Amino acid sequence: MFETYIKDYNEAVFEIDKELALEVVETALQQGVTPEQVVFDIIIPSIEQMMAEIVINADTNLAQHFMTAQIAAEITENMLAKFKTPPEVIGRVIIGTSYGDLHSLGKRIVIGCLKSMMVEVVDLGVNVKAEDFVEAAVAQDAQVIAISSMMVHTATGENGSLKVRALLKEQNLENQIKLVVGGAPYRFDHELYSKVGADNWAADGVTAAKVIRQVILDRKSS
Amino acid sequence: MTPLEILSATISGQPTPRVPIFCNLLDQGSKLLNMSPEQYYSKGEYVAEGQLKILKHFGHDNVWSASYVGKEAQLLGCKEILFADHGAPNVADFVIKSWDDISTFEIPEDITQHPHWQSIGDCLKILHQEVGATHPICAYVTASTTLPAILMGMDKWMELVLTGPIDVRDELVKKCSHFVQQQLTAYRAAGANVIIYANPFGSPYFIPQKMIVDWSMPWMKQDLKDGPDNIVYYCGMAPLNAVTELVIEKLNVNIFYPAPSDDLTEAKRLINGKGLTSGVLDDIKMIHWTEQQTRDEVKCIMALGKPEGHFLFGTGFMPLDIPEKNIIAMLDAAFEYGRYP
């Protein structure tokens, strides 16, 4: 039953046609699909299909990633207001751009996807100090700190991920809080994440949501 | 032959002793002059001195008139730049904060009279006097469909492009295109002879091919209505092979600066002797490579790109983290493996 909705919805997102994607969801609701089913049986599987598509099809583009996240987040927010009982949250992530970095596109894509996948997101914004990442992660009992960097010096600089790693180590938090990074420099050098002290990385915003979700699940099961 | 003669001959397919070798070193100038980036970029004389010292020190082919991309935003009203000790400056004040600001947003009547053009003009004057007859002088101009990203932030621009009112979007691009045309005229008049026309929104990595054809391409035509002379098509290190034929056909531009991830053999096939394509080293990896790894990579790029000419060796915007020994190793290898028999 849901396959057709997922297919129609994903085709609309791939064509970056927001109105059509919203129409698919509206039609599903009119045909008796519940808000819970919209999120768990249409939106989340659709995001997962986009994640799979990115792996096998190098021709997906940033516009499609952006629309995947924005449409999913908007629909999820609307549907959550109509849920009979609040959904179970998978986990919590603290996200922001690295110190000195003011680019927020990648972060916004990650947040949109994560929210739709029932991950609670605390967005610290742009140009975030390492101390603030760690302090927020402790205060919010987050499993992951996610740092986005668009520039080489903000990815590799001593006040970015390297300092977050040092603080986690100093405060003996490395087992509780994992560090995930993403952004342009990491796409050019796939080993860079380990050199800045991160536990994991992703090449794009949609894949980052997948990676972060998995890190949370691993962390909670360990 | 001078580096400028080598570049011109390479584009037109004439014999040259070697491949042109471009190395894009910008922020390194402040280190060489022992200045903070903010001080260094405050005067065109400093930037020109830094570029001439870099050229003398490393011996590559090109110099840069550009200071940083945010300069374009400053010419359009940006009031704050975030300087970093160890990297490129960021735009910290977005001129357009909401879509409502677009209707009142204005382009200067004559950018060459703008206070922020002063340092660019001063820099170009010195470079033109010192090396204009012998070396390529590069300028950087952001295309009208990408420029709004530095005026309002990339995510806000992406949102407007994909979901906003078309008339508002195109009103902004029209104003930006007017600015681009002014910049191209001003740079050419001041002596820049290689103009990097940067348009990530002209790459299928950013938007679908259909949108490039239907939306980006007409605006690029408008930007370049005075002709394609000295224009280099560049998508901000995003891949461009998929649009090369389209750009040649529609814009008459025949010099390309692909991404390191573009297939160089395919790039050569697409240019097919009609102009010039480039083999661009993934310079972020150079931060952690050994000298030998750097040499090996240059050798590989030259082996793919050099046969039958029409080829330039180049880099991205070399991060300051790259050890100097790797820059030297890269250039040594480029001159060695870039020689024609």
Side-chain angles (χ1 to χ4, degrees), chain B residues 215-264:
Chain B
W215 176 66
S216 282
M217 194 53 73
W219 284 114
M220 288 196 276
K221 270 189 178 175
Q222 189 69 19
D223 290 351
L224 304 177
K225 71 177 188 183
D226 285 341
D229 286 357
N230 308 329
I231 293 290
V232 179
Y233 192 81
Y234 169 69
C235 295
M237 297 296 267
L240 56 74
N241 271 356
V243 295
T244 297
E245 287 175 320
L246 184 71
V247 169
I248 294 172
E249 183 200 331
K250 301 286 185 190
L251 302 177
N252 241 350
V253 170
N254 62 356
I255 306 175
F256 292 86
Y257 209 79
S261 59
D262 274 311
D263 179 341
L264 183 49

Short mmCIF file of all heavy atoms in Angstrom, two decimals, chain B residues 215-264:
data_model
loop_
_atom_site.label_atom_id
_atom_site.label_comp_id
_atom_site.label_asym_id
_atom_site.label_seq_id
_atom_site.Cartn_x
_atom_site.Cartn_y
_atom_site.Cartn_z
N TRP B 215 17.67 27.65 -16.54
CA TRP B 215 17.77 28.83 -15.67
C TRP B 215 19.19 29.42 -15.62
O TRP B 215 19.39 30.60 -15.92
CB TRP B 215 17.30 28.46 -14.25
CG TRP B 215 17.44 29.56 -13.26
CD1 TRP B 215 16.76 30.75 -13.26
CD2 TRP B 215 18.33 29.59 -12.13
NE1 TRP B 215 17.18 31.52 -12.19
CE2 TRP B 215 18.12 30.83 -11.48
CE3 TRP B 215 19.24 28.69 -11.60
CZ2 TRP B 215 18.83 31.19 -10.33
CZ3 TRP B 215 19.94 29.04 -10.46
CH2 TRP B 215 19.74 30.28 -9.83
N SER B 216 20.19 28.61 -15.26
CA SER B 216 21.55 29.14 -15.12
C SER B 216 22.10 29.66 -16.45
O SER B 216 22.70 30.72 -16.52
CB SER B 216 22.52 28.07 -14.61
OG SER B 216 22.40 27.88 -13.25
N MET B 217 21.90 28.85 -17.49
CA MET B 217 22.55 29.16 -18.77
C MET B 217 22.12 30.52 -19.33
O MET B 217 22.99 31.32 -19.72
CB MET B 217 22.27 28.03 -19.76
CG MET B 217 23.12 28.04 -21.01
SD MET B 217 24.90 28.13 -20.70
CE MET B 217 25.28 26.49 -20.09
N PRO B 218 20.81 30.84 -19.34
CA PRO B 218 20.44 32.18 -19.84
C PRO B 218 21.09 33.32 -19.04
O PRO B 218 21.49 34.34 -19.61
CB PRO B 218 18.92 32.21 -19.68
CG PRO B 218 18.51 30.78 -19.71
CD PRO B 218 19.62 30.01 -19.06
N TRP B 219 21.21 33.12 -17.72
CA TRP B 219 21.84 34.17 -16.92
C TRP B 219 23.34 34.24 -17.18
O TRP B 219 23.94 35.31 -17.18
CB TRP B 219 21.56 33.96 -15.42
CG TRP B 219 20.17 34.35 -15.05
CD1 TRP B 219 19.16 33.54 -14.61
CD2 TRP B 219 19.59 35.67 -15.12
NE1 TRP B 219 18.01 34.26 -14.41
CE2 TRP B 219 18.25 35.58 -14.70
CE3 TRP B 219 20.09 36.92 -15.50
CZ2 TRP B 219 17.39 36.67 -14.65
CZ3 TRP B 219 19.24 38.02 -15.45
CH2 TRP B 219 17.91 37.89 -15.02
N MET B 220 23.96 33.09 -17.41
CA MET B 220 25.40 33.10 -17.73
C MET B 220 25.63 33.83 -19.05
O MET B 220 26.59 34.57 -19.21
CB MET B 220 25.95 31.68 -17.77
CG MET B 220 26.06 31.06 -16.39
SD MET B 220 27.11 29.59 -16.32
CE MET B 220 25.99 28.32 -16.82
N LYS B 221 24.71 33.61 -20.01
CA LYS B 221 24.81 34.33 -21.30
C LYS B 221 24.75 35.84 -21.06
O LYS B 221 25.47 36.61 -21.67
CB LYS B 221 23.63 33.93 -22.20
CG LYS B 221 23.91 32.76 -23.09
CD LYS B 221 22.76 32.62 -24.08
CE LYS B 221 23.03 31.48 -25.03
NZ LYS B 221 21.91 31.22 -25.91
N GLN B 222 23.87 36.22 -20.16
CA GLN B 222 23.72 37.64 -19.83
C GLN B 222 25.00 38.16 -19.17
O GLN B 222 25.51 39.22 -19.54
CB GLN B 222 22.52 37.80 -18.89
CG GLN B 222 22.10 39.22 -18.61
CD GLN B 222 21.50 39.90 -19.84
OE1 GLN B 222 21.07 39.23 -20.79
NE2 GLN B 222 21.51 41.21 -19.84
N ASP B 223 25.52 37.40 -18.21
CA ASP B 223 26.77 37.80 -17.54
C ASP B 223 27.88 38.04 -18.55
O ASP B 223 28.68 38.97 -18.42
CB ASP B 223 27.27 36.69 -16.59
CG ASP B 223 26.40 36.50 -15.36
OD1 ASP B 223 25.49 37.31 -15.14
OD2 ASP B 223 26.63 35.50 -14.64
N LEU B 224 27.95 37.15 -19.54
CA LEU B 224 29.09 37.14 -20.47
C LEU B 224 28.73 37.76 -21.81
O LEU B 224 29.31 37.41 -22.84
CB LEU B 224 29.58 35.69 -20.66
CG LEU B 224 29.97 34.95 -19.38
CD1 LEU B 224 30.36 33.50 -19.70
CD2 LEU B 224 31.11 35.63 -18.65
N LYS B 225 27.80 38.67 -21.80
CA LYS B 225 27.32 39.20 -23.10
C LYS B 225 28.39 40.00 -23.84
O LYS B 225 28.29 40.19 -25.04
CB LYS B 225 26.02 39.98 -22.93
CG LYS B 225 26.15 41.31 -22.23
CD LYS B 225 24.79 41.98 -22.22
CE LYS B 225 24.93 43.40 -21.71
NZ LYS B 225 23.66 44.08 -21.61
N ASP B 226 29.43 40.45 -23.10
CA ASP B 226 30.51 41.17 -23.78
C ASP B 226 31.55 40.22 -24.38
O ASP B 226 32.58 40.66 -24.87
CB ASP B 226 31.19 42.15 -22.82
CG ASP B 226 30.33 43.37 -22.57
OD1 ASP B 226 29.41 43.61 -23.38
OD2 ASP B 226 30.53 44.05 -21.56
N GLY B 227 31.29 38.95 -24.30
CA GLY B 227 32.17 37.98 -24.93
C GLY B 227 32.93 37.11 -23.96
O GLY B 227 33.03 37.42 -22.78
N PRO B 228 33.45 35.98 -24.47
CA PRO B 228 34.09 35.00 -23.59
C PRO B 228 35.60 35.19 -23.43
O PRO B 228 36.27 34.31 -22.90
CB PRO B 228 33.80 33.69 -24.32
CG PRO B 228 33.82 34.07 -25.77
CD PRO B 228 33.34 35.48 -25.86
N ASP B 229 36.13 36.34 -23.88
CA ASP B 229 37.59 36.53 -23.85
C ASP B 229 38.15 36.32 -22.44
O ASP B 229 37.69 36.95 -21.48
CB ASP B 229 37.97 37.95 -24.30
CG ASP B 229 37.81 38.10 -25.80
OD1 ASP B 229 37.49 37.09 -26.46
OD2 ASP B 229 38.00 39.23 -26.29
N ASN B 230 39.15 35.45 -22.35
CA ASN B 230 39.89 35.20 -21.09
C ASN B 230 39.04 34.57 -19.99
O ASN B 230 39.46 34.52 -18.84
CB ASN B 230 40.51 36.48 -20.52
CG ASN B 230 41.34 37.22 -21.52
OD1 ASN B 230 41.92 36.60 -22.40
ND2 ASN B 230 41.40 38.53 -21.41
N ILE B 231 37.84 34.13 -20.32
CA ILE B 231 36.97 33.55 -19.30
C ILE B 231 37.31 32.07 -19.09
O ILE B 231 37.46 31.30 -20.04
CB ILE B 231 35.48 33.67 -19.71
CG1 ILE B 231 35.05 35.13 -19.73
CG2 ILE B 231 34.58 32.84 -18.79
CD1 ILE B 231 34.94 35.80 -18.38
N VAL B 232 37.44 31.71 -17.81
CA VAL B 232 37.68 30.30 -17.43
C VAL B 232 36.43 29.80 -16.70
O VAL B 232 36.02 30.41 -15.70
CB VAL B 232 38.90 30.18 -16.49
CG1 VAL B 232 39.12 28.73 -16.08
CG2 VAL B 232 40.14 30.76 -17.15
N TYR B 233 35.83 28.73 -17.20
CA TYR B 233 34.63 28.19 -16.57
C TYR B 233 35.04 27.30 -15.40
O TYR B 233 35.78 26.32 -15.56
CB TYR B 233 33.82 27.38 -17.59
CG TYR B 233 32.43 27.03 -17.11
CD1 TYR B 233 31.40 27.97 -17.21
CD2 TYR B 233 32.13 25.79 -16.57
CE1 TYR B 233 30.12 27.67 -16.78
CE2 TYR B 233 30.85 25.49 -16.13
CZ TYR B 233 29.85 26.43 -16.25
OH TYR B 233 28.58 26.14 -15.81
N TYR B 234 34.51 27.65 -14.22
CA TYR B 234 34.92 26.98 -12.97
C TYR B 234 33.69 26.88 -12.07
O TYR B 234 32.91 27.83 -11.98
CB TYR B 234 36.01 27.84 -12.32
CG TYR B 234 36.38 27.49 -10.90
CD1 TYR B 234 37.07 26.30 -10.61
CD2 TYR B 234 36.10 28.37 -9.85
CE1 TYR B 234 37.44 26.01 -9.30
CE2 TYR B 234 36.48 28.08 -8.55
CZ TYR B 234 37.14 26.90 -8.28
OH TYR B 234 37.50 26.61 -6.99
N CYS B 235 33.51 25.74 -11.45
CA CYS B 235 32.31 25.55 -10.63
C CYS B 235 32.64 25.44 -9.14
O CYS B 235 31.94 24.75 -8.39
CB CYS B 235 31.53 24.33 -11.10
SG CYS B 235 30.87 24.52 -12.76
N GLY B 236 33.70 26.11 -8.70
CA GLY B 236 34.03 26.11 -7.28
C GLY B 236 34.42 24.74 -6.79
O GLY B 236 33.98 24.34 -5.70
N MET B 237 35.22 24.03 -7.56
CA MET B 237 35.71 22.67 -7.24
C MET B 237 34.59 21.62 -7.31
O MET B 237 34.77 20.50 -6.83
CB MET B 237 36.42 22.62 -5.88
CG MET B 237 37.67 23.48 -5.78
SD MET B 237 38.98 22.94 -6.90
CE MET B 237 39.93 21.85 -5.83
N ALA B 238 33.44 21.99 -7.87
CA ALA B 238 32.40 20.99 -8.14
C ALA B 238 32.58 20.50 -9.58
O ALA B 238 33.08 21.23 -10.43
CB ALA B 238 31.02 21.61 -7.95
N PRO B 239 32.16 19.27 -9.87
CA PRO B 239 32.39 18.69 -11.20
C PRO B 239 31.68 19.46 -12.31
O PRO B 239 30.59 19.99 -12.10
CB PRO B 239 31.81 17.28 -11.08
CG PRO B 239 31.69 17.01 -9.63
CD PRO B 239 31.51 18.33 -8.95
N LEU B 240 32.30 19.47 -13.50
CA LEU B 240 31.69 20.21 -14.60
C LEU B 240 31.74 19.49 -15.94
O LEU B 240 31.24 20.02 -16.95
CB LEU B 240 32.32 21.61 -14.71
CG LEU B 240 33.83 21.75 -14.89
CD1 LEU B 240 34.31 21.39 -16.27
CD2 LEU B 240 34.23 23.18 -14.57
N ASN B 241 32.34 18.29 -15.99
CA ASN B 241 32.43 17.59 -17.28
C ASN B 241 31.07 17.47 -17.97
O ASN B 241 30.97 17.59 -19.20
CB ASN B 241 32.99 16.18 -17.09
CG ASN B 241 34.52 16.15 -17.18
OD1 ASN B 241 35.14 17.18 -17.45
ND2 ASN B 241 35.12 15.00 -16.93
N ALA B 242 30.02 17.25 -17.19
CA ALA B 242 28.69 17.01 -17.78
C ALA B 242 28.11 18.22 -18.48
O ALA B 242 27.14 18.10 -19.23
CB ALA B 242 27.73 16.52 -16.69
N VAL B 243 28.70 19.41 -18.24
CA VAL B 243 28.17 20.61 -18.91
C VAL B 243 29.16 21.23 -19.89
O VAL B 243 28.87 22.26 -20.50
CB VAL B 243 27.72 21.69 -17.88
CG1 VAL B 243 26.55 21.21 -17.04
CG2 VAL B 243 28.87 22.15 -17.01
N THR B 244 30.32 20.61 -20.05
CA THR B 244 31.37 21.20 -20.90
C THR B 244 30.87 21.49 -22.32
O THR B 244 31.03 22.60 -22.84
CB THR B 244 32.60 20.29 -20.95
OG1 THR B 244 33.14 20.19 -19.63
CG2 THR B 244 33.67 20.82 -21.87
N GLU B 245 30.24 20.50 -22.94
CA GLU B 245 29.80 20.69 -24.33
C GLU B 245 28.74 21.79 -24.42
O GLU B 245 28.73 22.59 -25.36
CB GLU B 245 29.27 19.37 -24.89
CG GLU B 245 30.42 18.39 -25.18
CD GLU B 245 29.94 17.01 -25.61
OE1 GLU B 245 28.93 16.53 -25.04
OE2 GLU B 245 30.58 16.42 -26.50
N LEU B 246 27.87 21.81 -23.41
CA LEU B 246 26.82 22.83 -23.37
C LEU B 246 27.43 24.24 -23.25
O LEU B 246 27.00 25.18 -23.93
CB LEU B 246 25.92 22.55 -22.16
CG LEU B 246 24.70 23.42 -21.96
CD1 LEU B 246 23.65 23.10 -23.02
CD2 LEU B 246 24.12 23.21 -20.57
N VAL B 247 28.43 24.36 -22.40
CA VAL B 247 29.08 25.66 -22.18
C VAL B 247 29.79 26.12 -23.46
O VAL B 247 29.70 27.30 -23.83
CB VAL B 247 30.06 25.58 -20.98
CG1 VAL B 247 30.94 26.82 -20.90
CG2 VAL B 247 29.29 25.40 -19.68
N ILE B 248 30.46 25.19 -24.13
CA ILE B 248 31.12 25.56 -25.39
C ILE B 248 30.08 26.03 -26.41
O ILE B 248 30.24 27.07 -27.05
CB ILE B 248 31.92 24.35 -25.96
CG1 ILE B 248 33.09 24.01 -25.03
CG2 ILE B 248 32.42 24.65 -27.38
CD1 ILE B 248 33.82 22.72 -25.38
N GLU B 249 28.98 25.27 -26.50
CA GLU B 249 27.97 25.59 -27.51
C GLU B 249 27.22 26.89 -27.20
O GLU B 249 27.03 27.74 -28.08
CB GLU B 249 26.97 24.43 -27.58
CG GLU B 249 25.90 24.61 -28.64
CD GLU B 249 24.68 23.73 -28.38
OE1 GLU B 249 24.84 22.65 -27.78
OE2 GLU B 249 23.57 24.14 -28.78
N LYS B 250 26.82 27.05 -25.95
CA LYS B 250 25.94 28.18 -25.62
C LYS B 250 26.69 29.46 -25.25
O LYS B 250 26.20 30.56 -25.49
CB LYS B 250 25.02 27.82 -24.44
CG LYS B 250 24.12 26.63 -24.69
CD LYS B 250 22.99 26.97 -25.63
CE LYS B 250 22.03 25.81 -25.79
NZ LYS B 250 21.05 26.03 -26.87
N LEU B 251 27.86 29.31 -24.63
CA LEU B 251 28.57 30.49 -24.14
C LEU B 251 29.84 30.81 -24.93
O LEU B 251 30.45 31.85 -24.72
CB LEU B 251 28.96 30.32 -22.66
CG LEU B 251 27.82 30.06 -21.67
CD1 LEU B 251 28.39 29.85 -20.26
CD2 LEU B 251 26.86 31.23 -21.65
N ASN B 252 30.24 29.87 -25.78
CA ASN B 252 31.47 30.08 -26.54
C ASN B 252 32.71 30.10 -25.66
O ASN B 252 33.77 30.54 -26.09
CB ASN B 252 31.40 31.40 -27.30
CG ASN B 252 31.50 31.18 -28.77
OD1 ASN B 252 31.81 30.06 -29.20
ND2 ASN B 252 31.26 32.21 -29.56
N VAL B 253 32.56 29.70 -24.40
CA VAL B 253 33.71 29.63 -23.49
C VAL B 253 34.43 28.31 -23.78
O VAL B 253 33.80 27.27 -23.90
CB VAL B 253 33.25 29.67 -22.02
CG1 VAL B 253 34.39 29.35 -21.07
CG2 VAL B 253 32.67 31.04 -21.70
N ASN B 254 35.76 28.38 -23.88
CA ASN B 254 36.48 27.15 -24.23
C ASN B 254 37.70 26.90 -23.32
O ASN B 254 38.62 26.19 -23.70
CB ASN B 254 36.89 27.14 -25.71
CG ASN B 254 37.83 28.29 -26.04
OD1 ASN B 254 38.12 29.12 -25.18
ND2 ASN B 254 38.33 28.31 -27.25
N ILE B 255 37.68 27.51 -22.14
CA ILE B 255 38.73 27.23 -21.15
C ILE B 255 38.04 26.72 -19.89
O ILE B 255 37.13 27.38 -19.37
CB ILE B 255 39.56 28.49 -20.83
CG1 ILE B 255 40.11 29.13 -22.12
CG2 ILE B 255 40.70 28.15 -19.88
CD1 ILE B 255 40.83 30.45 -21.89
N PHE B 256 38.46 25.56 -19.42
CA PHE B 256 37.75 24.90 -18.31
C PHE B 256 38.70 24.57 -17.17
O PHE B 256 39.85 24.17 -17.39
CB PHE B 256 37.07 23.62 -18.82
CG PHE B 256 35.93 23.91 -19.75
CD1 PHE B 256 36.16 24.09 -21.11
CD2 PHE B 256 34.64 24.06 -19.28
CE1 PHE B 256 35.13 24.41 -21.98
CE2 PHE B 256 33.60 24.38 -20.13
CZ PHE B 256 33.85 24.55 -21.50
N TYR B 257 38.16 24.71 -15.97
CA TYR B 257 38.93 24.38 -14.76
C TYR B 257 38.08 23.38 -13.96
O TYR B 257 37.33 23.76 -13.05
CB TYR B 257 39.19 25.65 -13.96
CG TYR B 257 40.46 25.61 -13.14
CD1 TYR B 257 41.70 25.83 -13.74
CD2 TYR B 257 40.43 25.34 -11.78
CE1 TYR B 257 42.87 25.80 -12.99
CE2 TYR B 257 41.61 25.31 -11.02
CZ TYR B 257 42.81 25.54 -11.65
OH TYR B 257 43.98 25.51 -10.90
N PRO B 258 38.19 22.10 -14.29
CA PRO B 258 37.31 21.09 -13.67
C PRO B 258 37.67 20.83 -12.21
O PRO B 258 38.63 21.39 -11.66
CB PRO B 258 37.58 19.82 -14.51
CG PRO B 258 38.39 20.26 -15.67
CD PRO B 258 39.08 21.51 -15.29
N ALA B 259 36.88 19.97 -11.59
CA ALA B 259 37.15 19.55 -10.22
C ALA B 259 38.14 18.38 -10.26
O ALA B 259 38.23 17.67 -11.26
CB ALA B 259 35.86 19.09 -9.56
N PRO B 260 38.87 18.16 -9.16
CA PRO B 260 39.75 16.99 -9.13
C PRO B 260 38.97 15.69 -9.35
O PRO B 260 39.52 14.71 -9.84
CB PRO B 260 40.34 17.03 -7.70
CG PRO B 260 40.24 18.46 -7.30
CD PRO B 260 39.01 19.00 -7.95
N SER B 261 37.68 15.71 -8.99
CA SER B 261 36.89 14.47 -9.15
C SER B 261 36.41 14.27 -10.59
O SER B 261 35.89 13.20 -10.92
CB SER B 261 35.68 14.49 -8.21
OG SER B 261 34.88 15.62 -8.47
N ASP B 262 36.53 15.26 -11.44
CA ASP B 262 36.17 15.07 -12.85
C ASP B 262 37.19 14.13 -13.50
O ASP B 262 38.39 14.22 -13.24
CB ASP B 262 36.19 16.41 -13.60
CG ASP B 262 34.88 17.17 -13.49
OD1 ASP B 262 33.82 16.55 -13.73
OD2 ASP B 262 34.92 18.37 -13.18
N ASP B 263 36.69 13.27 -14.38
CA ASP B 263 37.56 12.34 -15.11
C ASP B 263 38.37 13.15 -16.12
O ASP B 263 37.80 13.72 -17.06
CB ASP B 263 36.67 11.29 -15.80
CG ASP B 263 37.47 10.29 -16.62
OD1 ASP B 263 38.64 10.58 -16.96
OD2 ASP B 263 36.92 9.22 -16.91
N LEU B 264 39.69 13.18 -15.93
CA LEU B 264 40.54 14.04 -16.77
C LEU B 264 40.57 13.56 -18.22
O LEU B 264 40.60 14.37 -19.16
CB LEU B 264 41.95 14.09 -16.17
CG LEU B 264 42.97 14.99 -16.86
CD1 LEU B 264 42.44 16.38 -17.13
CD2 LEU B 264 44.23 15.08 -16.01
#
